[in-house]
Amino acid sequence: MFHDILIPTDGSDASTTALEQGVEIASGTDATVHLLHVVDVGTEMAASGVGNIADGLTKTLDKEAKEALNQAEKMADEAGVSAERAILEGFPEDAIQKYSNENGIDLIVIGESEDSTLSEQLFGSTTDDVIQSATVSVLVARH
């Protein structure tokens, strides 16, 4: 049914839940999971005016991206599921949609935590934005 499943991951518990569900859907089929980590430019821009902090933050964000993708790829490998991985920079909701469009994705499995921040309550979460902008099916894995 699904051939290319996009699972955005940031290493959080919510994205781990999405990863588990996405890998389970792909398991036993010829589907490929696409593991995507987006380095949020909003975070980088917020620190850009602080000099040395920006360089350290960029290195930390890159390290976190690689760790999240390594964990995700390990889960897919253990389940015998084919996986591709990518790191993009940008605003997460835009990067997820762009990757989906450019890679023939037919399902996005995205995590959502029940513990939302005040900002998410006021302006909506990345998950909400992806649901609104997606042109393919979206499975929200609740943690």
Side-chain angles (χ1 to χ4, degrees), residues 113-137:
S113 175
E114 305 226 353
D115 301 326
S116 60
T117 65
L118 178 60
S119 174
E120 289 171 340
Q121 292 173 9
L122 294 174
F123 303 111
S125 67
T126 297
T127 300
D128 294 333
D129 293 339
V130 169
I131 291 168
Q132 294 299 317
S133 65
T135 58
V136 299
S137 296

Side-chain angles (χ1 to χ4, degrees), residues 22-71:
V23 167
E24 184 175 340
I25 291 168
S27 182
T29 71
D30 64 348
T32 298
V33 294
H34 295 254
L35 309 169
L36 174 64
H37 183 91
V38 180
V39 177
D40 189 343
V41 295
T43 303
E44 287 186 314
M45 285 191 303
S48 66
V50 189
N52 293 339
I53 292 175
D55 291 338
L57 179 61
T58 298
K59 289 177 184 172
T60 299
L61 292 174
D62 288 343
K63 181 180 176 192
E64 287 177 359
K66 290 175 184 164
E67 288 173 358
L69 288 172
N70 287 344
Q71 173 193 358

Side-chain angles (χ1 to χ4, degrees), residues 5-20 23 33-40 61-75 84-88 92 96 99 108-112 126-127:
I5 301 170
L6 174 58
I7 309 170
T9 183
D10 60 7
S12 68
D13 291 341
S15 68
T16 299
T17 300
L19 181 62
E20 291 167 351
V23 167
V33 294
H34 295 254
L35 309 169
L36 174 64
H37 183 91
V38 180
V39 177
D40 189 343
L61 292 174
D62 288 343
K63 181 180 176 192
E64 287 177 359
K66 290 175 184 164
E67 288 173 358
L69 288 172
N70 287 344
Q71 173 193 358
E73 192 170 41
K74 181 179 177 189
M75 289 179 71
E84 295 183 15
R85 54 189 278 166
I87 298 174
L88 297 178
I96 291 167
Y99 185 93
I108 299 171
V109 181
I110 189 166
E112 181 172 69
T126 297
T127 300

